[in-house]
Amino acid sequence: MDKNLKPATIAAHAAGALDAQSGGVVPALQPSTTFTRDADYNLDRPDNVYSRDNSDNLRQAEEVLRSLEDAAETLLFPSGMAAIAAVFRTLPNRGTAILQSGIYWGTTAWIRDFCARREITLVEVPASELVATCQNTPADLVFIETPSNPWLETVDIQAVNNATSGVVIVDGTAATPILTRALDHGADIVMHSATKAINGHSDVLAGVLSTRAPEAAIWGEIKADRKMAGAILGPFEAWLLIRAMRTLPLRVERMSQNTQKLAEALLAHPQVADVFYPGLPHHSGHDIAKRQMQGGYGSLMSVLVKGGREDALRVVGKLQLFLRATSLGGVESLVEHRHTIEPHTGIPENLIRVSVGIEDAGDLIADWKQALA
């Protein structure tokens, strides 16, 4: 496909994926785990040997994401954590990694445990101290998440890249490649939990890594690790992902618009102490977000209600359109009392994390108003 096509066109056409055998405008699902050879034992398709690393559906989904990121290569994994693990397994024993603090707790917990087992020095710093730390601490790898979950902190990716000689990995899950192409801002590798907005229908687990430098040693190691460790997304999940990504730009646009409206309404509400959302001018990372995010500020935000734990739980319990469930980026709006889920992380008892869907914005605002009353 034309390299200059806009994301909406790339997504709608699934980067040109068709079914060549039938002429169908939708790619076929091919679940085979192994592939035939002729009488001389030559492969009928040289690129298909065994499905652990060979799958038409996987390659088609990767091509959509590669095109959306404007990357050189893209690799899909069975979850976001599998993608993160593949990156960190490239670190040498007794190496050094810098990790942004206050990000998704699952990421932090796994990285801490992994680095301890491998005798890797792990330096954890808040978003505001990343650049200074990178300037003063030689590191093999720097891992950042922007906007972060659940604090919605934003990080200047280019500034971090300029401050370190290490490989810069960006978790851009909350932004998606529609709002931020992290590779354009200096990331060496961008990671997404495709389970979230990229799929957007709460029915697929997937993770993705993309790079602009496939010749780099770390990328070769990641590719080899994925193949031999078997961290491969199945063909059915890849097929579902292709189907979902056809509407990704539309969904992200609507969710971002809804979240902006809801964030503004809640910030003005007398029962709300604060709203963390990079689309709000008072947010500490608003200026960075304006530079790095195009077309909106995403569907994730956090709300501090006035009071304590019981007040927050009362609000969460009264919400009717916002489903009480753990995840983000789906077409349905979700709400979560984070302290109940992760009390050990220092999350305030009055913080409510919100994932805004594609419903009518007025209905969503009305639901919060009745819950806060």
Side-chain angles (χ1 to χ4, degrees):
M1 297 182 73
D2 187 333
K3 181 176 174 61
N4 297 316
L5 292 176
K6 299 296 189 292
T9 306
I10 294 168
H13 285 267
L18 300 169
D19 180 21
Q21 182 173 345
S22 70
V25 299
V26 174
L29 171 61
Q30 176 47 266
S32 182
T33 59
T34 191
F35 303 91
T36 58
R37 297 171 180 265
D38 64 20
D40 296 321
Y41 222 69
N42 297 309
L43 286 162
D44 291 338
R45 279 268 306 272
D47 57 342
N48 280 345
V49 180
Y50 187 70
S51 66
R52 186 171 59 186
D53 202 39
N54 303 137
S55 163
D56 284 353
N57 295 116
L58 187 70
R59 286 188 284 255
Q60 288 163 343
E62 287 173 342
E63 177 57 21
V64 178
L65 285 161
R66 187 204 66 77
S67 299
L68 292 174
E69 293 280 13
D70 193 23
E73 283 190 12
T74 290
L75 295 172
L76 275 164
F77 294 78
S79 70
M81 287 307 305
I84 291 171
V87 170
F88 272 81
R89 282 199 291 267
T90 67
L91 280 170
N93 290 344
R94 293 175 291 280
T96 300
I98 296 174
L99 175 68
Q100 178 185 340
S101 60
I103 61 174
Y104 169 55
W105 172 247
T107 299
T108 301
W110 184 88
I111 290 174
R112 285 177 179 174
D113 179 69
F114 176 81
C115 289
R117 286 186 279 116
R118 290 277 295 272
E119 298 181 0
I120 293 167
T121 299
L122 182 63
V123 181
E124 297 184 47
V125 293
S128 60
E129 298 175 17
L130 273 168
V131 172
T133 301
C134 288
Q135 289 172 336
N136 297 313
T137 307
D140 300 288
L141 185 152
V142 181
F143 189 94
I144 63 180
E145 181 184 85
T146 184
S148 68
N149 171 15
W151 293 105
L152 283 302
E153 295 282 352
T154 56
V155 177
D156 188 327
I157 302 169
Q158 190 63 63
V160 170
N161 177 275
N162 293 342
T164 183
S165 59
V167 178
V168 177
I169 315 295
V170 173
D171 181 343
T173 298
T176 79
I178 303 303
L179 301 180
T180 301
R181 294 201 310 202
L183 298 177
D184 291 347
H185 295 278
D188 294 300
I189 296 174
V190 58
M191 171 268 166
H192 298 275
S193 171
T195 306
K196 310 305 192 296
I198 286 175
N199 177 62
H201 292 77
S202 302
D203 55 11
V204 170
L205 280 175
V208 60
L209 298 175
S210 296
T211 184
R212 205 181 283 288
E215 71 283 355
I218 185 174
W219 191 251
E221 292 173 22
I222 289 169
K223 290 176 72 173
D225 183 85
R226 184 185 77 151
K227 178 179 179 179
M228 300 312 294
I232 307 296
L233 188 68
F236 181 56
E237 289 78 10
W239 187 89
L240 283 175
L241 199 58
I242 295 168
R243 186 173 187 265
M245 287 190 293
R246 291 179 183 271
T247 61
L248 175 60
L250 286 172
R251 290 186 282 105
V252 169
E253 179 182 11
R254 177 61 174 266
M255 291 189 294
S256 295
Q257 291 171 352
N258 282 356
T259 312
Q260 185 72 37
K261 292 175 182 177
L262 180 61
E264 292 172 357
L266 290 179
L267 188 62
H269 197 284
Q271 297 304 315
V272 171
D274 204 356
V275 177
F276 303 121
Y277 185 62
L280 296 173
H282 85 293
H283 187 274
S284 60
H286 179 65
D287 290 340
I288 295 174
K290 280 201 302 184
R291 295 197 304 271
Q292 289 184 172
M293 304 182 78
Q294 305 296 318
Y297 299 94
S299 62
L300 183 67
M301 68 177 189
S302 290
V303 181
L304 282 179
V305 298
K306 291 183 177 178
R309 174 186 175 86
E310 296 307 316
D311 299 281
L313 288 172
R314 176 183 57 80
V315 172
V316 169
K318 288 178 66 178
L319 286 167
Q320 298 171 4
L321 296 178
F322 288 78
L323 305 177
R324 290 172 289 278
T326 296
S327 197
L328 57 99
V331 293
E332 67 288 315
S333 292
L334 303 178
V335 65
E336 183 175 69
H337 183 242
R338 292 301 292 173
H339 189 270
T340 297
I341 305 300
E342 298 171 357
H344 52 286
T345 63
I347 293 290
E349 294 187 355
N350 61 333
L351 185 143
I352 301 172
R353 194 189 72 177
V354 186
S355 173
V356 182
I358 64 171
E359 304 94 336
D360 179 84
D363 290 342
L364 298 178
I365 293 171
D367 192 27
W368 267 88
K369 286 184 176 179
Q370 66 82 23
L372 287 164

